[in-house]
Each structure stands twice: as structure tokens, then as C-alpha cells.
Amino acid sequence: ILLQQAVQQQQAQQQPLPQAAQQGPPADQQDGAGKGVISLLQEFVQCSRQFHAPQHRAILQWNYDNRMADFTTLEFRGTVAFLLDGVPHHVAGAWHPSKKIAQRDAAERA
């Protein structure tokens, strides 16, 4: 998480914030509610683990499947795998037009 926070801080320093973002998050997104679903899942897995994860291994492991929905549309399905209290879990999302949306969907379902 520290590395992720450092990268986010570095990116924030490099890019000026839009006017809406400079005013702070809305009241319904304060106290952690404004965090993305992927980072919330990662924090949950890291905080609830009783077993030590192997070093140099990602907490959340992502895999993507793709298919042609029709002749011109490529779709992606994200799958996330993680250890929760020593028990392996795998969650697959639905098919979506982008990998990022597919990743968020899988994290929401987890």
C-alpha cells in the first residue's frame, strides 16, 4: 500500500487537479468512502489475513479473458485471485468493453 500511495502522490504532484477535485471530495465520499473498489478490496485482504503472504507476490492477482461479442466488438472479463485467511479465492466478473471496467466489476463482486 505504501508503494501505491507513493505512486499516487507522485502522479498527483505531476498533474494539476481539476477545479472540482481541488475543493475536496463530496460529503458522501469522505472517510475512505471515496476510495476505489480495487484498493478497498486490497486493504480488506491485507488487513484480514492471519497467514503471511509470500514475499514478492501481489496481494491481488489479476487475469483477463477476452472474446469477440460480434464482428467488431472485443470484450474482457476480469478474474481476481487472492488468499483470505489462508484460503484461496477466485472471483470472475462479467464481460465488459474495457479491461479497467472488467477489473472494477470483478473487485465489486469479490
Side-chain angles (χ1 to χ4, degrees):
I1 290 180
L2 295 176
L3 177 62
Q4 183 181 18
Q5 290 173 347
V7 169
Q8 289 173 350
Q9 287 175 354
Q10 187 178 27
Q11 289 174 347
Q13 291 174 354
Q14 292 174 353
Q15 298 175 352
L17 293 174
Q19 184 65 24
Q22 291 176 356
Q23 297 172 357
D28 62 343
Q29 290 187 351
Q30 291 177 357
D31 297 327
K35 291 184 179 180
V37 67
I38 298 167
S39 61
L40 289 175
L41 175 60
Q42 181 169 337
E43 287 181 20
F44 177 76
V45 171
Q46 284 179 318
C47 292
S48 65
R49 68 173 190 222
Q50 296 174 352
F51 299 89
H52 295 288
Q55 290 185 356
H56 307 294
R57 184 171 175 173
I59 300 297
L60 302 177
Q61 297 177 354
W62 295 96
N63 188 29
Y64 300 96
D65 298 320
N66 57 41
R67 72 174 183 185
M68 294 299 293
D70 54 35
F71 291 111
T72 60
T73 307
L74 181 63
E75 291 184 327
F76 301 93
R77 178 176 61 188
T79 303
V80 60
F82 53 90
L83 286 174
L84 188 59
D85 295 330
V87 179
H89 289 72
H90 302 273
V91 179
W95 293 98
H96 292 281
S98 78
K99 282 186 177 181
K100 192 51 131 175
I101 296 171
Q103 184 182 38
R104 287 187 189 128
D105 181 59
E108 286 175 1
R109 291 170 187 261

